[in-house]
Amino acid sequence: MDVPVIELSGVVKSFGPVDVLKGVNLTAYAGKVTALVGDNGAGKSTLVKGLAGVQPFDAGEVRFAGEPVALHTPREASALGIEVVYQDLALCENLDIVQNMFLGREETAAGTLDEGVMERQASETLQSLSVRTVKSVRQKVSSLSGGQRQTVAIARSVLKKAKLVILDEPTAALGVAQTEQVLALVRRLAESGVAVIIISHNLVDVFKVADYISVLYLGNMVAQLETKDTNNNDVIGYITGVKTYEGSRA
Amino acid sequence: MTTTPATPPPTIGSGHEGSARDQISAYFRTVRQGEMGALPAIGGFVVLAILFSFLSSSFLTPLNLANLLTQSATLMTLAMALVFVILLGEIDLSAGVTSGVTAAIFVVLVHNFQVPWLLALAAAFAAGLAIGTFIGFFVARVGIPSFVVTLGLFLGFQGLQLVIIGTGGAYRIETPEIAAIMNKNLPIPVGWVLYGVAIALAVGIALWDRARRTRAGVANRPLILMWGRLVAIAIAGALFVAFMSIDRAASRGTLNGVEIPHDAIEGVPIVVPIAVGLLWIGTFVLDRTRYGRHLYAVGGNTEAARRAGIKVAAIRMSAFIVCSTLAVVAGLFDASRIGVVTASSGSQIVLSGVAAAVVGGVSLFGGRGRLVHAAIGALVIAVIANGLGLLGLPAGINFLVTGGVLILAATIDALSRKRAGGTLIR
Ligand SMILES: Nc1ncnc2c1ncn2[C@@H]1O[C@H](COP(=O)(O)OP(=O)(O)O)[C@@H](O)[C@H]1O
Ligand SMILES: [Mg+2]
């Protein structure tokens, strides 16, 4: 197997006396979707915040493309090509799609915003992801549906040439049709060569989209499974702590 | 001047495609969806102007139009200043007293300390800068709500101004350059030259925008829309300059069929190009620079802006600095028009400034609104005072009508958003 894009080993995070991550291992590969599942409070969000550099890990090793790296600030994570698509609070509703996709790294010419260049790149990125639900890249985000907003947030990470994209519950607030669209988008994102980590509570979605499933239980990674080798009941067993087998991908 | 793009244009649209008719109907669609912008305020202004011109024969005269502009310039500038902080969902209740205090600093330096007026002007602006930095520090770094910080300054600065000016004191503006802003007019040829420069600038920028879009290989709106807009601006501007070139002192009447001789009052008031210049520069910064984009982003969703790597605290600070600095300009305008600076200069105007912004269509929730909205809102409020004044109605009526217009404007905005299925917030 290839070198994983990201490889965590023995990652630890505590908040005062509370040990939230107790030596977690996790890998994600280029071109593959790795689902991160676990009950509420298992530590999924804490793990993601560590990867994003928002809440650095206390101890443990992080390797990016085989190289040991530090993830102490969002800037460091971003520079490596790690992008997180948060479930909420990710877009400015008063701005349009192009403005959101380029927020914080706008193209300029002669000191002024180069709207044409940004518009073109935004359209091309959406097209490369086969997005058909968006009519105009100059629509305000306030006029978009939940699924379209997720699409814009994901396209934003593609535009940034991310190598690892982490999606925190991208379908939690969506209806059936929109969930399908976003899941298809996640697949296309992986097929473009990006390593994708997706957090989800919905096992149906997970089995539809993921190549690997990693199960977090009370701060321990209790299972790292290949989707094709496992089933719904097994995964539920790991999530609820009924099963405690330490799996391996080998 | 069109170059063929290297690759065919993308198939996801940008709203620039289609005929002029498509474009116009698309515009009306966004209006129906609740994006009314300054339309209600413009409508209100037109209605009020028509009403007053029927009720008073002196309303639609060059003299009164010049008066209206000088009466509104201070409020307009203060409202534009406030837009920068209102866009962030913040408020600066001290903008009015800042204009008063800095005008007091200017006039006292010139009078009591014989400081050259340019140096005193620099001192006033430095004070404005310092005040903005002070507010920004407490809001953005310490984390105190701007309402509280600026309310504190609002109260404190009234005292400071009393100390600077002295109880019951009043300083006359004797600097001719400052007095000229509101009381002198551009020579007629200069007015036309400035008009020409402004039109050339507008045409140049419009063409530059098109060229840039063409080079990037994205769609452009039909040329006719661009020229239509520019010609409309050019005609409106020319009518205005021509109207202002009429001798406004001409209505002194005749004696035995012979015109009574008088000094001509003609030309565009000097304050007009200054105010238009500020509006233009501010709009350029907000619409066309990364800074402006980031300001809107922070106002729309602070957390998203932070995650996008925008330095939120720095943007916050800067908005208060811009606001206080523009407030200095408003203070000088006011001093120029009234001719004196007193201990209470500027203490009344700030809420009218907020009202002007809201009437013009700026959202107090942040993230939505433009400088021109504030300018139009200020014109609406000024035209109410001006028209009712001509009718000889008591000042109390003016406040009642202004308050009513404010609530009406906010209601129209809320209803149009609600009907479009949106929420009032954001
Ligand atoms: N900043 C914090 N301070 C203290 N405890 C925290 C903090 N963040 C998370 N926790 C705790 O860590 C545990 C895991 O939280 P989280 O990572 O959000 O779980 P998940 O996303 O899997 O539901 C929870 O028990 C939560 O209360
Ligand atoms: Mg969580």
Side-chain angles (χ1 to χ4, degrees), chain A residues 86 88-92 94 99 103-106 109 112-113 115-117 119-120 123 126-127 135-138 156, chain B residues 7-8 10-15 208 212-213 216-218 284 288-290 293-294 296-297 300-301 304 307-308 367:
Chain A
Y86 294 93
D88 55 349
L89 298 170
L91 300 172
C92 296
N94 59 331
Q99 292 170 338
L103 193 60
R105 55 212 181 86
E106 296 82 2
T112 62
L113 297 169
E115 299 290 351
V117 166
E119 203 172 292
R120 183 178 183 91
S123 308
L126 288 169
Q127 273 183 301
K135 263 210 292 285
S136 162
V137 289
R138 288 296 179 187
R156 183 178 148 79
Chain B
T7 38
T11 54
I12 297 179
S14 64
W208 182 49
R212 283 215 288 189
R213 290 187 62 90
V218 294
F284 191 96
R288 293 171 174 270
T289 67
R290 298 188 71 192
R293 181 65 41 85
H294 293 176
Y296 278 99
N301 186 341
R307 286 178 191 173

Side-chain angles (χ1 to χ4, degrees), chain A residues 13-16 18-21 37-49 55 168-169 199 201 216 218-219:
Chain A
K13 179 74 186 177
S14 311
F15 294 104
V18 189
D19 297 329
V20 178
L21 301 177
V37 298
D39 210 348
N40 281 333
K44 304 182 295 294
S45 295
T46 307
L47 192 59
V48 169
K49 284 176 190 154
Q55 271 177 9
D168 194 355
E169 305 232 14
I199 298 178
H201 268 116
L216 207 53
L218 294 180

Side-chain angles (χ1 to χ4, degrees), chain B residues 285-337:
Chain B
V285 168
L286 285 179
D287 284 0
R288 293 171 174 270
T289 67
R290 298 188 71 192
Y291 169 73
R293 181 65 41 85
H294 293 176
L295 200 77
Y296 278 99
V298 173
N301 186 341
T302 309
E303 195 49 40
R306 199 191 311 281
R307 286 178 191 173
I310 293 171
K311 296 197 173 67
V312 172
I315 295 279
R316 278 235 164 80
M317 290 219 34
S318 75
F320 284 102
I321 292 172
V322 172
C323 178
S324 296
T325 309
L326 277 174
V328 178
V329 179
L332 292 168
F333 281 2
D334 191 48
S336 173
R337 195 173 82 84

Side-chain angles (χ1 to χ4, degrees), chain A residues 8 21 26 28 32-52 57 83-88 150 154 164-174 179 182-183 186 189 195-207 209-216 221 239:
Chain A
L8 303 181
L21 301 177
L26 177 72
K32 303 286 181 196
V33 176
T34 305
L36 181 60
V37 298
D39 210 348
N40 281 333
K44 304 182 295 294
S45 295
T46 307
L47 192 59
V48 169
K49 284 176 190 154
L51 281 169
F57 300 125
E83 288 298 326
V84 182
V85 176
Y86 294 93
Q87 182 184 337
D88 55 349
Q150 275 301 338
I154 292 170
L164 170 67
V165 175
I166 304 164
L167 303 146
D168 194 355
E169 305 232 14
T171 58
L174 304 183
T179 296
V182 169
L183 291 181
V186 169
L189 185 61
V196 179
I197 296 177
I198 180 171
I199 298 178
S200 181
H201 268 116
N202 187 329
L203 286 187
V204 179
D205 289 357
V206 166
F207 274 90
V209 78
D211 299 295
Y212 301 105
I213 301 175
S214 297
V215 188
L216 207 53
M221 195 60 85
I239 290 175

